[in-house]
Amino acid sequence: MNKPAFDVQATNAASRKAAPRKLSLKERYNLMTGDLGWETTYQPMDKVFPYDQFEGIKIHNWEGWQDPFRLTMDAYWKFQGEKERKLYAIIDAFQQNNAQFNVTDARYINALKLFFQGVSPLEYAASRGYALAGRNLRGVGARVACQMQAIDELRHAQTQIHTISHYNKFFSGLHENSYMFDRLWYLSVPKSFFEDAMSAGPFEFVTAISFGFEYVLTNLLFMPFMSGAAFNGDMATVTFGFSAQSDESRHMTLGLEIVKFLLEQDPDNLPIVQHWIDKWFWRGYRLLALVAMMMDYMLPKRVMSWSEAWEIYFEKNGGALFEDLARYGIRLPKYHEVASKEKGHLSHQTWATFYNYTHATAMHTWIPEPHEMDWLSAKYPDTFDKYYRPRFEYWDSLAKQDKRWFNPGLPMLCQTCQIPMLFTDVGSDPTRVVSRESVYRGTKYHFCSDGCKDVFDYEPEKYVQAYLPVNQIFQGNCGGSSLSDVVNWCHVEPADSGDFAQSEDRANWNRWTHADAGSEA
Amino acid sequence: MTIRALSPDYEGTPRDAEENFHGNRLLFVYWQNHAMFCSPICIPVPPTMPFAALRDEVLPGLYGSHPDFAKIKWNKVHWFHEQEDWKPNPSKTLAENGLVHKSLVQFSTPGLTGIGGSGT
């Protein structure tokens, strides 16, 4: 249990007297975490911490929550300060050497745009979420761990903004990511994911983000961007990635500890935690559709295919994790087999969707080069040539006649994940989308999958409130009725969108690097 | 229980209620096995629109860019409302044909198999 207040004072007085002796890691951790908490006396603890019981999680002993790193604030500041100094020294050198011209080609920058528009704002959202969770969990170890993670996430958002601001001087789509994050249709996918977690209780939040996101899926989210950057000569992004890496490994370890802690506290917690794991696995997996297309289509030099990444990081590593958790009664997340079945289709369908709607994005799309299509055929022998190559070749033929094709309609969105209803029934007919429906209080709601329908059906009062960008446009809430009105309202400038072939990015790149002068011929 | 919330009687306000659409209803339209169009398309339409107007005036603007579209024999098209067979009367309105706010209408065009027969 937490110590009463007078004990803290006594310990502080004692430690002042004994100041010269160097404290062991364990003593220091006890003083700077456990001893910072106390049982409140002016108000009952339940009134001070009103949000940590409604989820049904039962905690009998908060001391069971241990930070495996025993990190204390004094060590934290020192450690982070050193990392900051190194990072900014490298970024300075990067800028002075115009190292943005060392990336493979200007198409790569679009992966950076996707990261900056869709992932960096999540770092900031995570900072807010952990600050909130830290306030609402009554165990002192948990509160301190959440506080540090809140600061970590804020630091990640800042270092990303600082690093990428240099690219913003040269390329489109990297200005005003906060407006874009709040308003652009495809960014409502990551935004709503995080807001779903933040508007849940503190235990669901930490299970969703620390375990589901940071532990189970981070190798498929954060790392592909960083290894993509390394493969494509983007040393600035690699550097902030490195600077975040030791934080990420701390977050991952904590994510696993949190789930074990919840499961060890009370057997009644098991079904609640299992439900959260099912839900956040599926929500996270849907979010990864954006990463899948980045890996297979947006990197001029590819690291590995989405399908290979899924096999290594989920089927193999994730499989081992859930074998380990089986002793707590946890099983693999529901619908993991659907995700595995979709691995040969996911990236192609997502990229084709962005190709449909590039006139309403703050990044460019393009048809893969012939040798890139061959790479896709080799990596996806069962699916690419049969289902996807024909549409890219057809679009390419139109583009070559100056008739670049765009979809003139707006997409129907899934009520839960907010992604256009693009996922097909890969088992029986991969050219036909899956649609599921629920009727709640007399109104229809549509879903891209059983996974998304389950999430809605469990808490419909939450998801009826979803802000679906397309539906908001038709309600007249997005700056006007024409596409250019809406795009302006999203703070997207004309140079930000459209096909890469016609983009300012491409023209500038060729001018700056003399790529058109024949050196590549 | 329909939500796990601090207040047990918590109710959310549906953001896409029909009255928010200024007299229109959302309609989702999907042309099966023509995956060049990445997903069903969402359009706001008045419930009083005749089905024939949807078919003859709205759909060409959405799907006319596909080379199969001009080849559609409309008397052979299969229509679905949600997952069920649906036989709309062209001269009746969308509402009279049974469509409601956020209905999903699908159509299949037998014999038309997309770009190069790929279902695209």
Side-chain angles (χ1 to χ4, degrees):
Chain A
M1 285 307 292
N2 292 316
K3 296 232 167 33
F6 60 83
D7 255 8
V8 176
Q9 286 163 1
T11 314
N12 286 348
S15 61
R16 267 198 300 278
K17 271 179 212 156
R21 188 174 68 86
K22 204 162 175 7
L23 298 170
S24 74
L25 189 64
K26 198 173 168 198
E27 284 172 312
R28 185 187 290 270
Y29 179 72
N30 286 340
L31 283 169
M32 297 194 67
T33 55
D35 283 3
L36 296 178
W38 66 90
E39 289 279 343
T40 57
T41 51
Y42 297 168
Q43 294 286 338
M45 287 290 272
D46 285 350
K47 270 184 89 174
V48 178
F49 297 100
Y51 294 169
D52 72 353
Q53 296 193 46
F54 74 91
E55 297 170 274
I57 290 289
K58 293 176 185 159
I59 304 296
H60 303 290
N61 175 16
W62 273 103
E63 286 187 2
W65 181 306
Q66 290 288 333
D67 170 8
F69 289 87
R70 302 274 191 278
L71 189 61
T72 54
M73 229 359 129
D74 55 336
Y76 177 82
W77 290 129
K78 194 167 160 246
F79 194 51
Q80 300 298 68
E82 278 167 23
K83 286 198 294 189
E84 291 282 276
R85 274 192 294 280
K86 279 185 201 155
L87 171 69
Y88 284 97
I90 294 174
I91 290 173
D92 276 350
F94 182 87
Q95 294 180 347
Q96 283 161 21
N97 288 306
N98 275 325
Q100 71 279 359
F101 295 131
N102 293 341
V103 303
T104 38
D105 72 53
R107 292 182 304 166
Y108 164 74
I109 305 298
N110 292 284
L112 203 53
K113 294 174 194 176
L114 185 62
F115 184 85
F116 191 55
Q117 294 165 12
V119 182
S120 297
L122 295 185
E123 306 271 16
Y124 182 64
S127 175
R128 294 170 61 205
Y130 279 100
L132 194 65
R135 168 62 186 86
N136 290 330
L137 293 169
R138 74 182 66 190
V140 66
R143 292 217 303 278
V144 170
C146 285
Q147 179 193 20
M148 283 184 201
Q149 189 159 348
I151 301 168
D152 286 341
E153 305 290 2
L154 190 60
R155 188 178 85 86
H156 297 172
Q158 285 175 336
T159 55
Q160 289 162 21
I161 291 166
H162 285 156
T163 308
I164 292 171
S165 67
H166 181 66
Y167 284 95
N168 180 44
K169 296 172 192 164
F170 299 91
F171 300 99
S172 66
L174 294 166
H175 57 99
E176 300 186 272
N177 71 336
S178 57
Y179 277 102
M180 291 175 185
F181 186 67
D182 283 344
R183 298 183 178 189
L184 258 179
W185 59 277
Y186 56 98
L187 300 175
S188 84
V189 176
K191 180 182 164 73
S192 62
F193 173 94
F194 237 91
E195 289 182 351
D196 186 352
M198 284 166 75
S199 54
F203 288 113
E204 182 174 350
F205 177 81
V206 293
T207 307
I209 305 303
S210 295
F211 181 72
F213 201 65
E214 302 267 8
Y215 196 89
V216 183
L217 298 175
T218 196
N219 280 330
L220 290 159
L221 185 98
F222 193 71
M223 292 317 291
F225 280 104
M226 296 310 130
S227 44
F231 265 55
N232 287 277
D234 176 7
M235 293 322 289
T237 297
V238 170
T239 306
F240 76 63
F242 268 133
S243 185
Q245 203 169 29
S246 56
D247 301 339
E248 298 297 347
S249 54
R250 183 156 37 79
H251 301 169
M252 282 181 74
T253 310
L254 195 62
L256 187 57
E257 291 298 316
I258 285 166
V259 161
K260 289 182 177 172
F261 167 72
L262 295 180
L263 295 168
E264 281 164 2
Q265 287 293 316
D266 197 290
D268 289 351
N269 293 345
L270 174 63
I272 303 173
V273 171
Q274 180 70 59
H275 167 75
W276 288 338
I277 289 175
D278 291 346
K279 169 181 170 180
W280 288 99
F281 164 78
W282 187 257
R283 294 225 57 190
Y285 165 65
R286 275 296 184 238
L287 184 58
L288 292 175
L290 296 169
V291 184
M293 85 168 175
M294 187 278 293
M295 294 179 75
D296 284 344
Y297 285 86
M298 300 177 74
L299 298 177
K301 278 192 186 152
R302 288 148 170 81
V303 180
M304 63 169 73
S305 71
W306 163 257
S307 173
E308 290 166 330
W310 184 257
E311 285 162 13
I312 295 170
Y313 294 116
F314 187 77
E315 292 175 11
K316 198 158 150 267
N317 295 1
L321 164 69
F322 282 95
E323 267 173 39
D324 183 40
L325 288 173
R327 66 195 152 101
Y328 295 95
I330 290 288
R331 52 157 175 74
L332 269 164
K334 211 172 164 186
Y335 303 125
H336 69 92
E337 72 288 352
V338 178
S340 287
K341 258 198 261 174
E342 288 180 352
K343 70 188 171 190
H345 298 268
L346 187 67
S347 63
H348 319 301
Q349 295 178 352
T350 313
W351 183 246
T353 299
F354 275 74
Y355 191 90
N356 270 233
Y357 291 114
T358 300
H359 49 320
T361 59
M363 53 183 231
H364 304 300
T365 57
W366 54 87
I367 298 295
E369 303 281 332
H371 73 274
E372 293 172 327
M373 291 229 236
D374 292 343
W375 182 89
L376 290 163
S377 300
K379 293 294 180 184
Y380 296 98
D382 300 330
T383 56
F384 184 73
D385 285 348
K386 190 169 176 195
Y387 299 111
Y388 302 105
R389 185 187 276 269
R391 83 186 63 164
F392 291 125
E393 290 183 343
Y394 178 68
W395 284 334
D396 198 31
S397 72
L398 293 178
K400 285 188 172 133
Q401 305 162 50
D402 269 346
K403 290 192 258 177
R404 202 287 190 192
W405 184 81
F406 295 102
N407 190 326
L410 295 184
M412 172 188 189
L413 306 178
C414 171
Q415 186 76 24
T416 301
C417 71
Q418 308 200 2
I419 297 176
M421 301 265 293
L422 65 94
F423 305 102
T424 64
D425 185 350
V426 298
S428 68
D429 183 353
T431 67
R432 193 180 299 185
V433 300
V434 174
S435 65
R436 298 284 183 269
E437 185 195 312
S438 294
V439 175
Y440 182 68
R441 289 205 268 149
T443 302
K444 288 173 185 284
Y445 295 92
H446 298 272
F447 312 97
C448 69
S449 55
D450 291 318
C452 280
K453 178 175 155 61
D454 279 8
V455 171
F456 178 93
D457 287 347
Y458 190 77
E459 291 187 291
E461 287 294 341
K462 185 170 195 178
Y463 299 96
V464 296
Q465 303 171 67
Y467 179 103
L468 303 180
V470 170
N471 304 8
Q472 289 298 312
I473 290 170
F474 289 136
Q475 289 179 37
N477 297 334
C478 302
S481 57
S482 77
L483 185 71
S484 66
D485 290 340
V486 173
V487 166
N488 278 339
W489 177 80
C490 296
H491 289 230
V492 174
E493 293 172 0
D496 298 332
S497 45
D499 199 286
F500 179 72
Q502 279 80 44
S503 67
E504 274 182 18
D505 275 7
R506 178 171 178 272
N508 285 335
W509 178 263
N510 288 346
R511 199 156 49 85
W512 291 328
T513 64
H514 306 291
D516 275 349
S519 60
E520 286 193 338
Chain B
M1 186 183 63
T2 54
I3 191 165
R4 212 174 262 270
L6 277 171
S7 155
D9 52 0
Y10 176 91
E11 280 189 13
T13 305
R15 212 179 278 265
D16 293 325
E18 189 176 335
E19 58 266 26
N20 297 352
F21 289 87
H22 317 290
N24 286 326
R25 288 175 177 173
L26 288 188
L27 176 65
F28 305 115
V29 187
Y30 183 59
W31 185 6
Q32 290 181 352
N33 304 109
H34 285 76
M36 182 163 106
F37 303 92
C38 60
S39 68
I41 291 176
C42 173
I43 48 172
V45 282
T48 51
M49 175 187 275
F51 176 77
L54 175 76
R55 185 189 60 193
D56 304 335
E57 291 159 35
V58 177
L59 295 191
L62 299 176
Y63 292 113
S65 60
H66 196 291
D68 277 356
F69 190 79
K71 300 179 204 159
I72 295 176
K73 294 190 175 62
W74 287 101
N75 55 349
K76 293 201 173 148
V77 167
H78 292 172
W79 293 93
F80 306 87
H81 179 205
E82 311 308 346
Q83 313 295 336
E84 307 290 319
D85 283 335
W86 184 53
K87 295 201 180 349
N89 180 332
S91 58
K92 289 195 167 170
T93 68
L94 300 179
E96 287 163 349
N97 274 300
L99 301 190
V100 297
H101 181 48
K102 297 204 279 179
S103 277
L104 169 61
V105 162
Q106 310 192 39
F107 63 105
S108 73
T109 50
L112 299 177
T113 53
I115 308 296
S118 66
T120 291

